[in-house]
């Protein structure tokens, strides 16, 4: 029988959080083994930000994170900030730019970030093992023993960095939640976040032909609102505004969409009625929305007349349709296309300082597997870096 591999620390999951944790623990002289069942490390980093990785945001704020415990993430985020990650990116001379709203992207490709993290990990003698799957984990008197496809591994500390459930084809698995349950943790119910919302059969017919059209809108659901672009697709609504609000929307509820957020629409229509009475409604709305979109929605929602011929009540109804469209999605596209998983390992059972389990000593949870989810815009990576760094300082 082969002897067990012995190491100080095993990290399961060589994604964003796992790589950062490995680097920080390695810097402290810990002997680290970073294992992943996939054929490549950092696969989600590679596909992120349209291949350019939106690796952080200039304006990281507590308001950008969703968790059952709205205090849990603060400590880690304040100890490893966006500036720490930017400093690392600059140290490696990776060119980057701000796209909008503080979102930082690589100029070239996301693999620059993976290469940077792997180089840092290797310089700390981190042992990275790909194609390594774990079949069993048991606690021992001195730590943990893992049965894996490369043999038994004994370690003092075990870090779970297996990410969430989105994009199963990229190596996502529910394994982190299984381990959490095995060691006595509660899981805050998981669901897809930052995900397109879908049309019902009826809505598909009503909005047929609009795929590809977009508008800058204000969306609101459950007391949260976002002002960004929305895109009609063949299946429903997407674009940053919709992805953001999807993390707050609950099945059966409405998303209220203001298609003309820069206008007090009723006042505007009343004004146009006076100044341009012979102009048609489609023409008026086309000055602020894509023409095909204005045309389609006027056909769907309004009597078609010249401005002079609308009654006050009709103007009120038109303005309500366009500035408070109550859209009831049939659902979401689910984990197949979601960027993140909401919910996860209950933060109330983890130390916010070290990320260690309060239930099982020596066991740590970091990154997306924990019930902390960021808004769109680099916040999910910032949580992965920060929680990975926090655990790396203590494991
Ligand atoms: C298409 C897409 C684009 C995105 N773009 C951005 C962006 O631009 N900016 C941003 O901030 N966030 C983005 N995100 C979200 C971001 O990728 C994640 O929040 C982040 O990767 C989470 O880091 P993590 O280390 O916790 O998990 P991951 O990066 O998912 O890493 C988990 C690792 O664990 C491994 N693993 C899973 N199960 C097992 C197992 N059983 N055994 C061994 N290994 C296992 C996986 O193979 C993977 O390598 C995007 C997500 C998607 C899907």
């Amino acid at each position: 029988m082969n002897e067990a591999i012995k190491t100080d620390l095993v990290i399961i999951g060589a994604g964003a959080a796992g790589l950062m944790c490995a680097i920080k623990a390695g810097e402290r002289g810990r002997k680290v083994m970073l294992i992943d069942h996939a054929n490549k490390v950092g696969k989600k980093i590679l596909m992120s930000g349209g291949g350019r990785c939106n690796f952080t945001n200039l304006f990281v704020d507590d308001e950008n994170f969703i968790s059952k415990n709205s205090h849990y993430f603060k400590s880690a985020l304040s100890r490893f900030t966006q500036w720490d990650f930017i400093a690392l990116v600059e140290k490696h001379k990776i060119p980057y730019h701000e796209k909008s709203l503080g979102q930082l992207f690589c100029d070239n490709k996301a693999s620059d970030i993976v290469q940077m993290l792997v180089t840092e990990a290797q310089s700390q003698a981190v042992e990275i093992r790909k194609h390594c799957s774990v079949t069993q984990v048991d606690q021992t008197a001195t730590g943990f023993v893992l049965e894996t496809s490369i043999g038994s591994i004994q370690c003092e500390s075990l870090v779970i960095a297996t990410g969430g459930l989105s994009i199963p084809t990229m190596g996502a698995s529910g394994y982190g939640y299984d381990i959490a349950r095995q060691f006595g943790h509660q899981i805050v119910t998981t669901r897809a976040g930052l995900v397109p919302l879908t049309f019902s059969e009826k809505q598909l017919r009503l909005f047929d032909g609009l795929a590809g059209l977009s508008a800058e809108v204000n969306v609101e659901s459950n007391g949260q609102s976002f002002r960004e672009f929305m895109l009609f697709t063949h299946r429903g609504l997407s674009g940053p505004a919709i992805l953001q609000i999807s993390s707050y929307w609950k099945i059966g509820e409405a998303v209220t969409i203001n298609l003309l957020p820069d206008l007090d629409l009723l006042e505007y229509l009343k004004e146009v009625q006076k100044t341009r009475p012979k102009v048609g409604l489609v023409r008026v709305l086309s000055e602020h929305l894509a023409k095909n979109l204005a045309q389609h929605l006027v056909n769907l929602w309004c009597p078609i007349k010249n401005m002079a011929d609308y009654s006050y009540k009709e103007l009120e109804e038109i303005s309500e349709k366009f500035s408070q469209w109550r859209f009831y999605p049939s659902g979401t596209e689910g984990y197949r296309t979601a960027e993140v998983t909401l919910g996860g390992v209950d933060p109330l059972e983890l130390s916010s300082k070290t990320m260690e389990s309060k239930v099982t000593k020596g066991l740590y949870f970091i990154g997306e597997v924990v019930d902390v989810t960021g808004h769109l815009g680099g916040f999910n990576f910032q949580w992965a870096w920060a929680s990975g760094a926090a655990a790396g300082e203590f494991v």
Side-chain angles (χ1 to χ4, degrees):
M1 216 171 87
N2 288 339
E3 242 188 71
I5 302 166
K6 293 193 177 67
T7 186
D8 294 339
L9 166 64
V10 169
I11 303 169
I12 308 181
L19 280 158
M20 182 55 78
C21 182
I23 294 164
K24 292 290 168 190
E27 282 170 4
R28 290 173 40 243
R30 300 285 278 164
K31 191 170 176 219
V32 183
M33 207 164 163
L34 177 59
I35 64 179
D36 203 296
H37 63 177
N39 59 344
K40 278 185 196 164
V41 302
K43 273 191 160 181
K44 274 212 187 137
I45 303 175
L46 293 173
M47 74 187 301
S48 68
R52 290 231 165 93
C53 186
N54 175 196
F55 54 80
T56 191
N57 194 294
L58 293 174
F59 311 114
V60 176
D61 189 273
D62 298 343
E63 301 296 311
N64 302 121
F65 297 88
I66 307 167
S67 171
K68 172 183 166 184
N69 179 351
S70 58
H71 297 292
Y72 176 72
F73 45 81
K74 292 181 182 175
S75 170
L77 287 169
S78 68
R79 282 177 288 139
F80 188 91
T81 68
Q82 66 272 40
W83 310 114
D84 294 309
F85 196 79
I86 293 166
L88 195 58
V89 169
E90 288 180 353
K91 176 181 148 196
H92 284 258
K93 300 194 168 42
I94 295 172
Y96 67 92
H97 62 278
E98 179 187 352
K99 197 167 166 193
S100 60
L101 305 169
Q103 302 168 8
L104 300 189
F105 284 76
C106 296
D107 285 357
N108 299 325
K109 45 197 184 330
S111 58
D112 287 351
I113 298 292
V114 175
Q115 191 51 53
M116 171 189 88
L117 295 166
V118 170
T119 304
E120 287 284 328
Q122 282 169 343
S123 74
Q124 301 304 333
V126 171
E127 188 178 346
I128 301 177
R129 300 296 289 258
K130 295 174 275 188
H131 293 293
C132 175
S133 47
V134 184
T135 50
Q136 198 177 324
V137 178
D138 292 301
Q139 198 173 17
T140 63
T142 52
F144 298 88
V145 60
L146 284 72
E147 298 307 328
T148 77
S149 52
I150 55 166
S152 296
I153 312 175
Q154 288 176 10
C155 57
E156 285 170 22
S157 309
L158 177 62
V159 179
I160 307 301
T162 45
L165 294 165
S166 61
I167 325 276
T169 48
M170 284 291 129
S173 77
Y175 189 66
Y177 310 121
D178 296 342
I179 293 278
R181 285 192 198 93
Q182 180 190 337
F183 287 99
H185 281 268
Q186 302 292 317
I187 304 297
V188 179
T189 309
T190 52
R191 65 189 171 91
L194 298 181
V195 63
L197 299 173
T198 50
F199 287 150
S200 63
E201 286 296 319
K202 188 178 165 203
Q203 289 162 336
L204 273 175
R205 283 193 298 278
L206 291 178
F207 300 111
D208 184 33
L210 295 183
L213 294 178
S214 67
E216 190 176 343
V217 298
N218 199 78
V219 291
E220 196 269 327
S221 193
N222 274 309
Q224 188 74 25
S225 65
F226 294 94
R227 164 118 188 216
E228 288 193 52
F229 275 89
M230 175 185 90
L231 175 74
F232 283 83
T233 73
H234 290 290
R235 287 182 291 271
L237 295 179
S238 187
I242 295 298
L243 299 185
Q244 297 280 34
I245 208 67
S246 73
S247 296
Y248 292 87
W249 173 77
K250 303 229 170 60
I251 199 105
E253 295 178 352
V255 174
T256 305
I257 304 173
N258 184 349
L259 289 156
L260 296 153
D262 285 327
L263 295 178
D264 177 335
L265 192 55
L266 183 57
E267 285 307 310
Y268 181 71
L269 293 178
K270 276 167 32 191
E271 183 64 26
V272 176
Q273 194 172 45
K274 274 192 226 139
T275 53
R276 291 189 285 159
K278 293 211 161 57
V279 174
L281 178 63
V282 174
R283 163 103 177 266
V284 172
L285 294 177
S286 301
E287 290 162 9
H288 303 274
L289 280 176
K291 177 146 190 279
N292 290 351
L293 184 56
Q295 177 82 63
H296 193 105
L297 295 180
V298 168
N299 287 343
L300 206 60
W301 290 340
C302 317
I304 301 173
K305 309 181 195 174
N306 285 342
M307 290 307 292
D309 303 327
Y310 287 110
S311 67
Y312 181 75
K313 186 153 187 302
E314 283 174 326
L315 289 188
E316 270 188 329
E317 282 165 5
I318 293 165
S319 123
E320 192 172 321
K321 283 283 184 201
F322 279 84
S323 55
Q324 287 179 61
W325 171 24
R326 289 178 66 74
F327 166 56
Y328 287 88
S330 69
T332 75
E333 287 190 8
Y335 292 119
R336 190 179 59 81
T337 59
E339 282 202 13
V340 284
T341 302
L342 292 148
V345 179
D346 190 338
L348 292 174
E349 296 171 346
L350 302 175
S351 157
S352 60
K353 188 173 173 199
T354 65
M355 312 284 125
E356 187 176 12
S357 161
K358 293 178 186 171
V359 186
T360 302
K361 200 173 159 1
L363 181 65
Y364 297 73
F365 293 90
I366 57 173
E368 199 181 317
V369 74
V370 180
D371 170 35
V372 175
T373 308
H375 287 173
L376 192 76
F379 302 104
N380 284 295
F381 279 136
Q382 190 55 41
W383 166 245
W385 315 135
S387 57
E393 298 292 347
F394 292 92
V395 278

